[in-house]
Amino acid sequence: MDDLKRQLDQELGQARSLEDLERIRVAYLGKKGSITTLSRTTDFGALGPEERKDFGRRFNELKQAAEQALAETKARLEQAGGGRLSGAVDLTLPGAGRRLGSLHPISLVQMELEQIFQGMSFVVGSGFHVEREHYNFDALNIPPDHPAREMQDTFWLTNGMLLRTHTSANQVRMLEKHGAPLRAIFPGRCFRYENVDASHENTFYQVEGLMVDKGVTISHLIAVMKSLLDQVFHQDVKVRLRPGYFPFVEPGFELDCQCLICHGAGCKTCKHSGWIELLPCGMVHPVVLRHGGVDPEQYSGFAFGLGLTRLAMMKYGIPEIRLMNSGDVRFLEQFPAAV
Ligand code: PHE
């Protein structure tokens, strides 16, 4: 009997829920429980009358003690909130595992770029998604009959306005508003009437940059671009300029960076050329400066248009542009909640 009580106490000490408790009660005091059946498994014939009486007394004591121990354990479990019936809150339980949302990879790269440019005294501006034809085309030296309009398939609105096809649409607005000297970047969403595939989207992001001051030259352009890319990719990035045509810059360039994957040896990513076309840029055309109210005889400047979507894909190794606008949480959850 003493052994049984000790065993019971030990099991009750380990009980963590009311289900545990019920299992123990059945095992000891249920119909086939080890206390209940004690009288059946005892050979009374081998006991004297005194011993029988003693057995009866001790048996009743054991039952009582067992019932009391069960009741105490029940009270303990309910107080700790371990029981379903209690409704109490157990502050020691682990959390439900909900996590905060994460930042979109484009936001992450945009924030990083803003920080880098702010470090070089550039201000951060923004423009309008719905833009006037004037700012998107004419003021950028692209008159209505200019073939360069064909390069940018445009969503026209019925009221004659359009969804901006590039962040360059904000160049003249910034010049009109702030004048020269000016150092500004303006990131934002752009739209083109594209067939969507693995590397084309009708909605994408660019960061435009504009620096206008007295005596700004191509050397400044190269220095700023190289400094930017070194910081974004955390390494010494090799760059080269090739001629490129955009009506709002003269001369205009395509800036390539040496492939970050093969370091110039040639691989699939750079189509075996060793270089990756990264950003169009050039010296701001005098016509554009004049549209912005800035005298091209006194001031010069450079502009660049960085594909933010493309940069984010390169930086994070995202192979498929459609993931960007998919809203798929399995994709989004892979990025950190904060920088
Ligand atoms: N706006 C151009 C485009 O989207 C890129 C560009 C920007 C080129 C600034 C030169 C200077 O294609």
Side-chain angles (χ1 to χ4, degrees):
M1 283 188 202
D2 290 342
D3 284 350
L4 268 179
K5 178 69 168 64
R6 249 195 308 277
Q7 231 178 59
L8 172 66
D9 286 341
Q10 197 192 343
E11 284 185 40
L12 287 177
Q14 286 165 0
R16 289 286 166 269
S17 67
L18 293 180
E19 283 91 343
D20 289 349
L21 187 68
E22 179 59 11
R23 216 174 306 118
I24 298 167
R25 190 193 65 77
V26 171
Y28 286 85
L29 294 175
K31 260 198 193 131
K32 291 177 184 159
S34 43
I35 293 179
T36 315
T37 54
L38 207 54
S39 52
R40 264 178 266 147
T41 54
T42 304
D43 180 8
F44 288 102
L47 303 175
E50 275 308 304
E51 282 171 324
R52 265 183 235 169
K53 243 171 81 187
D54 193 41
F55 178 92
R57 184 179 51 77
R58 289 189 56 199
F59 179 71
N60 284 335
E61 277 173 11
L62 173 64
K63 254 175 91 172
Q64 265 177 23
E67 273 160 11
Q68 194 181 339
L70 281 160
E72 282 168 9
T73 307
K74 187 172 179 208
R76 168 175 70 77
L77 289 174
E78 285 184 349
Q79 207 182 12
R84 278 212 196 119
L85 299 174
S86 71
V89 175
D90 180 1
L91 297 177
T92 63
L93 285 172
R98 269 183 223 105
R99 71 190 286 271
L100 291 174
S102 48
L103 289 169
H104 194 281
I106 290 181
S107 304
L108 288 168
V109 177
Q110 181 179 329
M111 287 158 76
E112 190 177 355
L113 289 180
E114 287 179 7
Q115 231 169 31
I116 293 169
F117 276 105
Q118 280 167 341
M120 295 189 277
S121 302
F122 281 65
V123 295
V124 179
S126 64
F128 304 105
H129 294 166
V130 176
E131 185 52 280
R132 285 171 48 195
E133 180 180 0
H134 171 75
Y135 289 110
N136 198 84
F137 289 126
D138 301 79
L140 292 175
N141 205 23
I142 315 175
D145 55 354
H146 199 290
R149 288 205 180 192
E150 301 293 315
M151 287 156 51
Q152 305 191 354
D153 288 327
T154 308
F155 287 112
W156 290 93
L157 306 184
T158 46
N159 65 0
M161 294 178 82
L162 49 81
L163 298 185
R164 69 172 175 201
T165 58
H166 51 181
T167 42
S168 303
N170 211 26
Q171 281 191 16
V172 169
R173 284 186 181 278
M174 291 299 274
L175 288 172
E176 280 176 349
K177 193 167 168 198
H178 300 287
L182 175 70
R183 290 182 193 194
I185 59 164
F186 18 105
R189 195 190 289 197
C190 305
F191 309 86
R192 284 186 206 178
Y193 185 57
E194 297 268 4
N195 283 325
V196 175
D197 65 24
S199 54
H200 294 88
E201 250 289 2
N202 51 36
T203 304
F204 55 95
Y205 288 78
Q206 293 185 334
V207 177
E208 191 87 2
L210 189 60
M211 176 169 167
V212 177
D213 207 336
K214 289 184 173 148
V216 173
T217 67
I218 296 172
S219 313
H220 296 108
L221 167 63
I222 297 172
V224 171
M225 293 301 99
K226 188 171 153 37
S227 165
L228 161 72
L229 297 174
D230 287 353
Q231 289 180 72
V232 169
F233 292 111
H234 305 290
Q235 54 184 289
D236 184 20
V237 178
K238 302 247 176 331
V239 298
R240 74 174 185 190
L241 290 182
R242 283 179 295 120
Y245 175 69
F246 304 93
F248 39 96
V249 284
E250 180 58 38
F253 308 105
E254 293 284 356
L255 187 138
D256 300 339
C257 74
Q258 197 176 65
C259 180
L260 299 165
I261 307 213
C262 64
H263 298 283
C267 68
K268 227 173 83 188
T269 305
C270 60
K271 299 195 186 102
H272 302 284
S273 71
W275 296 88
I276 289 180
E277 189 178 314
L278 205 59
L279 87 169
C281 53
M283 302 306 290
V284 183
H285 199 288
V287 167
V288 177
L289 290 176
R290 239 177 263 126
H291 270 294
V294 173
D295 181 2
E297 297 299 326
Q298 283 197 54
Y299 289 97
S300 58
F302 66 78
F304 62 89
L306 188 81
L308 199 50
T309 303
R310 181 105 178 277
L311 191 68
M313 288 173 75
M314 276 181 59
K315 185 164 163 129
Y316 293 110
I318 300 165
E320 159 68 72
I321 199 171
R322 284 170 288 198
L323 286 166
M324 292 293 199
N325 295 340
S326 66
D328 188 333
V329 286
R330 292 167 304 180
F331 168 69
L332 297 170
E333 274 173 357
Q334 297 175 50
F335 300 94
V339 260

